[in-house]
Amino acid sequence: MSGSFSRSQSVRKPGVTATSGGVVAAQHALAAEAGAQVLAAGGDAVDAAVAVSFAIGVLEPWMSGPMGGGAMMLWREDEGRAYAVNYGMRASEALDPAHYPLAGTGKATGDLFPWEAVVEDRNVIGGSSVAVPGTVAGAAEVHGRFGRMPWADLLAPAISFAKQGMLVDWYAALIIASSAQALSRDPDAAALFLDQGTWPKIFGWTAQSELRLDQSAMAATLTRLAEAGPRDFYEGDIAQALVADVTAKGGFLTAGDLASYRADWQAPLHIPFRDGGLWAVPSFSAGPTLADAVARWQQDYAAAEAASPQAHVARATALRAAYEARLAGMGDHEAAKAPGCTTHFSIVDRQGNMVAMTQTLLSIFGSRTLSPQTGLMLNNGIMWFDPEPGKPNSLAPGKRCLMNVCPVIGEAPGRRFALGASGGRKIMPAVGQIAGHLIEQGMTLQDAIEAPRLDVSGGDVVIADERLAGAVTGALAARFPTATAQRLPFPYAFACPAGVMRTGDVNSGTTETFSPWGDGVAEPLS
């Protein structure tokens, strides 16, 4: 149902093509531009990824940041090889599951997951919901192995953005307003994002905004991280400040948790797909569920039939079955109607090296809690765990979080791509279908991302892009409860993808059409 929205409006995002340079596609254009400048300065795709990771944490502080976690896929052109890196969050070794008693109301948490509610929402909001972060370790790990530029240079764009303060435009004001009530519970978060601790920072609807957030504390932290190096986040002054702030807010983070944290290099999961294939993160991600879904639907229709109503039914059937297996065996029960609260970016450099990197605070604004000494928004990774004992994903000290992130490297004859998305459980179905458009139908990257798709992510209802209304929705409705949704900038009925592709020596990149800030940016050439 479109409700009150225009039926005739047409929106396109052409993306970008580069014949002799690299491309960065990210959910914020300024972050993408920062990464493209790194490529122009001679940086590797990994160098650009480090710059984008920190820059976008400043520019989208409710989606990700140094206190988050995630995973990435790399492609090294000279080796002809993919690498997987997992830098997901984990529970503190000091975590006490008894601190999270069930409320006994029979109601769900009301956020991303349908767990039974915990007393005072201790696993969702505040310091007690904070898990051990991994984003900085992930960025440092790949930089140490493949980076060419100095670490400090790569953090410079993020520091500059933080010193300026994030501009509160209409989209930022909308995001802040949507979480104002929760942010008001933490005085430090309220001071950053709200006026008088209550009202979202907004501006007149007919006026140009010059309002900026005061991110000076974050700028100081990033400056320290640039000068002292990434281990300071885990063993130095930054670590000490984080432990003190999380502890003061009722959390379990310890110096030992941070000092012992390491990102994991993993053998990538290879997923055969028609005459091509995908490489994905093999564990604590949606990679195995993607492999299951793709294997199922390839059995039910030929590539030549990929645009047919029957193929859409086959994909919906495969996705439903794959999610049933995930929910039963892997313990991930994120609510199907959960809002997107992650960011993804993809990069290809002029040599053909690629990065698909996803990072998150989990909920939008994470724990809705700010570390006052560092200026960093804190994650709420503890919410990934089921608070009820005896389940596959129950709370336990030191346990890894099972994420829905799904960065991939893909290939088909004559082309290779890096792809991922934000959007919680909506991520994997989007990545699988877009990859299918590229591999099965040979679409351009722009057409593949803009093409209408389904969301089949564990709920009872199959959600179809309203552009599929007719034969496709009729075929779906004969098998499943089916509804249609319009693609809009808020809320997202489908995931928000970003991808790059290399065809021969030509690189291209683009992001979700309705992402107001997202863009593909080509490396500037002198």
Side-chain angles (χ1 to χ4, degrees):
M1 294 290 291
S2 298
S4 303
F5 294 106
S6 168
R7 310 298 195 267
S8 61
Q9 181 176 351
S10 177
V11 179
R12 294 277 284 169
K13 184 178 287 185
V16 67
T17 298
T19 57
S20 56
V23 171
V24 180
Q27 288 180 199
H28 201 293
L30 291 176
E33 289 171 359
Q37 290 290 345
V38 168
L39 295 179
D44 186 273
V46 162
D47 292 312
V50 174
V52 175
S53 173
F54 285 101
I56 210 162
V58 176
L59 297 164
E60 281 186 321
W62 42 79
M63 291 294 190
S64 70
M67 277 298 291
M72 73 178 91
M73 288 298 306
L74 311 177
W75 177 262
R76 303 307 299 174
E77 180 68 13
D78 59 345
E79 301 178 55
R81 176 182 174 186
Y83 290 85
V85 184
N86 189 310
Y87 48 96
M89 300 175 233
R90 62 174 172 81
S92 168
E93 293 286 356
L95 182 134
D96 179 8
H99 184 71
Y100 305 88
L102 300 180
T105 61
K107 296 181 180 180
T109 61
D111 206 301
L112 289 176
F113 298 84
W115 316 131
E116 185 173 342
V118 166
V119 169
E120 299 172 347
D121 285 331
R122 294 175 185 175
N123 59 334
V124 178
I125 296 177
S128 59
S129 69
V130 178
V132 185
T135 297
V136 175
E141 191 69 25
V142 296
H143 177 260
R145 187 164 184 172
F146 296 118
R148 294 200 294 256
M149 293 179 63
W151 173 262
D153 291 355
L154 303 178
L155 269 65
I159 295 168
S160 178
F161 291 139
K163 287 180 176 178
Q164 294 172 27
M166 194 200 77
L167 180 68
V168 181
D169 59 17
W170 71 264
Y171 187 61
L174 179 62
I175 298 294
I176 293 169
S178 72
S179 296
Q181 184 176 13
L183 291 168
S184 70
R185 295 174 56 170
D186 179 66
D188 298 304
L192 178 60
F193 293 107
L194 307 178
D195 279 335
Q196 301 177 40
T198 304
W199 313 108
K201 292 186 176 180
I202 57 176
F203 52 93
W205 72 279
T206 61
Q208 292 289 328
S209 174
E210 295 298 331
L211 179 64
R212 291 183 178 272
L213 300 181
D214 179 4
Q215 293 173 297
S216 55
M218 189 177 190
T221 297
L222 293 173
T223 300
R224 169 69 188 180
L225 189 62
E227 295 171 349
R231 287 312 301 173
D232 193 80
F233 190 87
Y234 293 94
E235 299 178 87
D237 291 351
I238 299 173
Q240 184 177 358
L242 287 171
V243 169
D245 285 353
V246 173
T247 300
K249 292 177 184 283
F252 291 96
L253 187 68
T254 70
D257 291 329
L258 290 173
S260 63
Y261 186 92
R262 296 293 186 276
D264 294 333
W265 292 93
Q266 300 176 339
L269 174 64
H270 184 251
I271 306 170
F273 198 167
R274 306 296 187 193
D275 56 356
L278 302 171
W279 287 271
V281 179
S283 62
F284 296 100
S285 76
T289 310
L290 174 66
D292 188 6
V294 168
R296 291 174 190 267
W297 84 50
Q298 288 183 87
Q299 300 173 9
D300 293 336
Y301 66 90
E305 304 168 325
S308 69
Q310 292 72 30
H312 284 84
V313 172
R315 285 192 282 268
T317 303
L319 288 163
R320 283 172 68 97
Y323 263 113
E324 286 176 4
R326 180 182 179 90
L327 300 182
M330 298 180 74
D332 165 28
H333 293 73
E334 184 177 338
K337 295 182 179 180
C341 45
T342 301
T343 200
H344 177 86
F345 51 90
S346 298
I347 300 170
V348 57
D349 65 25
R350 64 177 65 188
Q351 286 78 31
N353 301 307
M354 292 184 173
V355 177
M357 185 169 183
T358 312
Q359 55 190 48
T360 184
L361 291 174
L362 185 50
S363 286
I364 195 163
F365 291 94
S367 63
R368 291 78 157 186
T369 305
L370 185 80
S371 161
Q373 293 188 74
T374 65
L376 302 180
M377 288 301 294
L378 302 174
N379 70 69
N380 64 339
I382 296 304
M383 193 176 63
W384 255 309
F385 300 105
D386 190 335
E388 187 174 348
K391 299 293 186 68
N393 198 34
S394 294
L395 268 170
K399 196 171 183 179
R400 281 277 187 181
C401 302
L402 175 62
M403 303 177 289
N404 286 298
V405 301
C406 195
V408 299
I409 300 293
E411 67 176 7
R415 59 198 340 203
R416 181 170 291 110
F417 57 89
L419 176 67
S422 64
R425 275 228 324 254
K426 299 178 178 73
I427 292 173
M428 186 280 289
V431 170
Q433 289 172 86
I434 294 168
H437 295 329
L438 295 169
I439 294 173
E440 296 178 325
Q441 301 179 63
M443 288 187 183
T444 66
L445 183 63
Q446 178 191 351
D447 287 345
I449 284 180
E450 292 193 339
R453 58 181 182 265
L454 311 176
D455 180 59
V456 187
S457 54
D460 293 333
V461 179
V462 172
I463 307 298
D465 187 307
E466 64 178 13
R467 292 173 293 169
L468 294 171
V472 171
T473 54
L476 289 167
R479 291 284 305 276
F480 315 109
T482 302
T484 60
Q486 186 176 10
R487 278 164 78 164
L488 296 167
F490 187 90
Y492 286 112
F494 306 92
C496 186
V500 296
M501 187 163 69
R502 185 173 179 87
T503 305
D505 293 330
V506 177
N507 296 323
S508 59
T510 194
T511 65
E512 164 60 34
T513 311
F514 280 90
S515 171
W517 291 343
D519 223 344
V521 177
E523 170 188 344
L525 302 175
S526 56

